[in-house]
């Protein structure tokens, strides 16, 4: 994010936002600073922490806000698109995120500003993590229980909302983004980096599962449909407490939220926990069982009494999204070594290690999709 647009932040802009955040109409903003937190893979998205001090009836009070800046190039303009760039804005402005089922919450939104250049600024509550960056497996179970309660509410008590900005067929569209890169990828496997990303012993199964992707996606469409976040991985989740001291999971980044199958929200929770959050491969099966068991408890608490095998199918079949993860982006890294330095910095690994990690994860995903195939046969 360039400095010039951030210069538009001034006292007049901040004062009502800070007053809302602190719950006081008498706070006067004294000073502030802006720190970039991170930017997403999507081009044009950036997130900043804006913090400072204020005076309130003779007292000095600290304050902080999170500013998320969306640009049109960060996604599509059409509300029905899987990557509609203002979906999170519409979700906040609808008021829906203020009334989520118990256990799962979104940060409070203090204001949305549309700018003449097409950018949109969302001013959000800063969420503070309660238990640290490295969660024990038991906490992943608690999160899964909260997600089960959230998903279950829209299977039992709450009707599926019909807002036009909600995503639909998100998993199908997400996987479909890789289609143009599949044939060029086949050709790139003669290159050293291509063989490193997709070793020869894995290529036949990889391309066979690509050809069969609709088999798994169709099965997901036949499962009970609920509201899914679709991006519930560790970096988007915070362990918090409510005002009454109850455990709560706060989820950020609602850019993909929409209708989807039961169990699918568990997939990023587990697999990105392995890929990005420090959970070891030796803990995968234990983590899966903890997450599935607690998610089912959350569903039962919400009143859903369906077949647990449907949950397992939703979880396993949704692995198709990570087997074909933005193939075009990976193809670019295979073909152009000049892109490696930036990717290595983002991943914290040398490029060979990044590719090896993808290959290791891919082999595990092969197993998951074979489990899904068995479950499809059992459930018909």
């Amino acid at each position: 994010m360039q400095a010039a647009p951030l210069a538009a932040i001034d006292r007049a802009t901040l004062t009502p936002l800070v007053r809302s955040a602190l719950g006081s109409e008498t706070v006067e903003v004294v000073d502030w600073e802006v720190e970039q937190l991170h930017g997403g893979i999507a081009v044009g998205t950036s997130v900043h922490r804006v913090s400072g001090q204020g005076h309130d009836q003779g007292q000095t009070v600290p304050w902080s806000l999170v500013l998320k800046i969306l640009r049109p190039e960060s996604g599509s303009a059409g509300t029905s698109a899987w990557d509609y760039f203002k979906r999170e804005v519409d979700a906040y402005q609808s008021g829906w995120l203020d009334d989520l089922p118990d256990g799962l919450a979104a940060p409070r939104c203090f204001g949305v500003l549309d700018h003449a250049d097409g950018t949109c600024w969302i001013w959000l509550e800063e969420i503070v993590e309660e238990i640290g960056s490295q969660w024990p497996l038991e906490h992943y179970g608690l999160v899964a229980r909260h997600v089960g309660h959230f998903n279950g509410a829209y299977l039992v008590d709450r009707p599926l909302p019909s807002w036009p900005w909600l995503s639909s067929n998100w998993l199908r569209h997400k996987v479909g983004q890789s289609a143009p890169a599949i044939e060029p990828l086949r050709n790139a496997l003669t290159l050293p980096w291509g063989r490193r990303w997709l070793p020869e012993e894995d290529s036949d199964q990889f391309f066979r599962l690509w050809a069969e992707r609709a088999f798994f996606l169709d099965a997901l469409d036949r499962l009970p449909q609920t509201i899914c976040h679709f991006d519930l991985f560790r970096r988007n989740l915070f362990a918090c407490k409510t005002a009454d001291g109850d455990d709560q999971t706060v989820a950020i980044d609602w850019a993909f939220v929409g209708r989807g199958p039961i169990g699918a929200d568990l997939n990023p929770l587990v697999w990105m926990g392995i890929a990005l959050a420090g959970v070891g491969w030796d803990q995968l099966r234990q983590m899966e069982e903890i997450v599935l068991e607690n998610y089912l408890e959350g569903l039962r608490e919400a009143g859903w009494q369906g077949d647990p095998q449907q949950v397992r199918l939703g979880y396993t079949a949704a692995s198709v999204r990570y087997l074909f993860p933005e193939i075009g982006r990976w193809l670019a890294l295979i073909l152009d070594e000049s892109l490696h330095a930036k990717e290595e910095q983002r991943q914290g690994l040398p490029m060979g290690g990044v590719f090896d990690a993808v290959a290791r994860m891919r082999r595990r995903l092969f197993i998951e999709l074979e489990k899904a195939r068995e479950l499809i046969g059992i459930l018909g």
Side-chain angles (χ1 to χ4, degrees):
M1 184 64 195
Q2 299 298 315
L6 292 175
I9 298 174
D10 57 20
R11 188 170 282 103
T13 298
L14 290 172
T15 297
L17 302 169
V18 172
R19 288 177 175 177
S20 294
L22 296 180
S24 171
E25 290 301 315
T26 55
V27 177
E28 297 295 337
V29 173
V30 176
D31 56 27
W32 63 91
E33 61 181 12
V34 181
E35 169 193 5
Q36 182 159 351
L37 297 179
H38 60 82
I41 291 177
V43 175
T45 300
S46 61
V47 183
H48 308 261
R49 182 176 188 265
V50 184
S51 61
Q53 297 186 89
H55 282 164
D56 191 8
Q57 301 184 30
Q59 300 293 318
T60 299
V61 291
W63 56 267
S64 63
L65 301 165
V66 169
L67 170 61
K68 186 171 185 177
I69 299 178
L70 306 176
R71 284 197 172 104
E73 58 265 33
S74 65
S76 301
T79 57
S80 62
W82 73 276
D83 60 344
Y84 169 47
F85 89 104
K86 289 184 68 175
R87 180 168 288 119
E88 187 169 23
V89 173
D90 289 351
Y92 272 112
Q93 292 185 324
S94 73
W96 174 68
L97 290 176
D98 298 329
D99 185 34
L100 297 178
D102 291 343
L104 195 69
R108 290 178 295 161
C109 178
F110 302 118
V112 173
L113 296 175
D114 289 305
H115 292 262
D117 62 357
T119 61
C120 184
W121 291 19
I122 315 175
W123 291 93
L124 299 168
E125 173 187 16
E126 182 180 24
I127 304 299
V128 178
E129 167 69 36
E130 294 276 352
I131 64 173
S133 60
Q134 195 71 30
W135 283 353
L137 292 188
E138 292 74 17
H139 192 77
Y140 282 94
L142 178 62
V143 171
R145 188 170 180 169
H146 291 160
V147 176
H149 201 274
F150 168 68
N151 288 166
Y154 294 98
L155 293 168
V156 180
D157 292 332
R158 301 189 182 200
L160 283 175
S162 57
W163 290 297
W165 47 263
L166 284 169
S167 66
S168 60
N169 297 310
W170 187 88
L171 287 166
R172 189 178 296 274
H173 290 304
K174 175 68 172 175
V175 173
Q177 299 302 304
S178 292
I182 293 296
E183 288 307 313
L185 176 65
R186 289 183 194 270
N187 298 330
L189 296 185
T190 59
L191 303 174
W193 283 113
R195 291 192 297 271
R196 188 74 175 264
W197 189 84
L198 182 58
E200 184 177 358
E201 61 268 25
D202 296 337
S203 62
D204 286 348
Q205 191 169 7
F206 178 84
F207 290 113
R208 175 175 61 82
L209 286 168
W210 171 258
E212 296 176 338
R213 66 195 183 280
F215 173 74
F216 299 102
L217 293 166
D218 290 347
L220 289 168
D221 288 345
R222 292 193 296 270
L223 289 172
Q225 301 294 298
T226 182
I227 294 295
C228 296
H229 180 285
F230 287 121
D231 212 13
L232 290 177
F233 73 109
R234 176 64 187 89
R235 292 181 187 173
N236 283 344
L237 298 167
F238 294 80
C240 298
K241 297 283 188 181
T242 67
D244 296 328
D246 296 326
D247 289 312
Q248 184 179 64
T249 299
V250 177
I252 64 172
D253 198 356
W254 292 80
F256 299 143
V257 66
R259 291 174 287 276
I262 191 171
D265 264 340
L266 299 184
N267 204 264
L269 184 64
V270 172
W271 289 97
M272 290 298 98
I274 297 288
L276 299 175
V279 180
W281 284 107
D282 60 330
Q283 297 177 291
L284 173 61
R285 296 309 172 206
Q286 183 185 3
M287 184 181 187
E288 283 184 329
E289 291 310 310
I290 288 173
V291 163
L292 285 162
E293 179 182 344
N294 279 273
Y295 179 76
L296 189 59
E297 285 186 20
L299 290 172
R300 298 294 193 229
E301 290 170 359
W304 186 78
Q305 300 300 321
D307 187 345
Q309 295 283 54
Q310 292 182 319
V311 172
R312 285 189 175 271
L313 176 55
Y315 165 69
T316 54
S319 298
V320 71
R321 79 180 271 194
Y322 290 123
L323 186 58
F324 307 110
E326 300 174 318
I327 301 300
R329 189 174 75 85
W330 290 107
L331 178 63
L333 290 165
I334 290 169
L335 297 176
D336 187 353
E337 291 190 24
S338 70
L339 302 175
H340 287 192
K342 184 176 181 180
E343 185 68 16
E344 289 173 340
Q345 182 179 21
R346 194 174 75 85
Q347 299 274 7
L349 287 172
M351 206 66 234
V354 173
F355 279 15
D356 290 346
V358 172
R360 183 166 59 249
M361 185 170 174
R362 182 186 298 118
R363 292 178 188 125
R364 299 280 187 158
L365 292 168
F366 286 163
I367 296 171
E368 291 302 303
L369 288 176
E370 289 311 312
K371 290 180 181 177
R373 191 189 303 277
E374 293 175 8
L375 285 165
I376 293 168
I378 291 169
L379 293 170

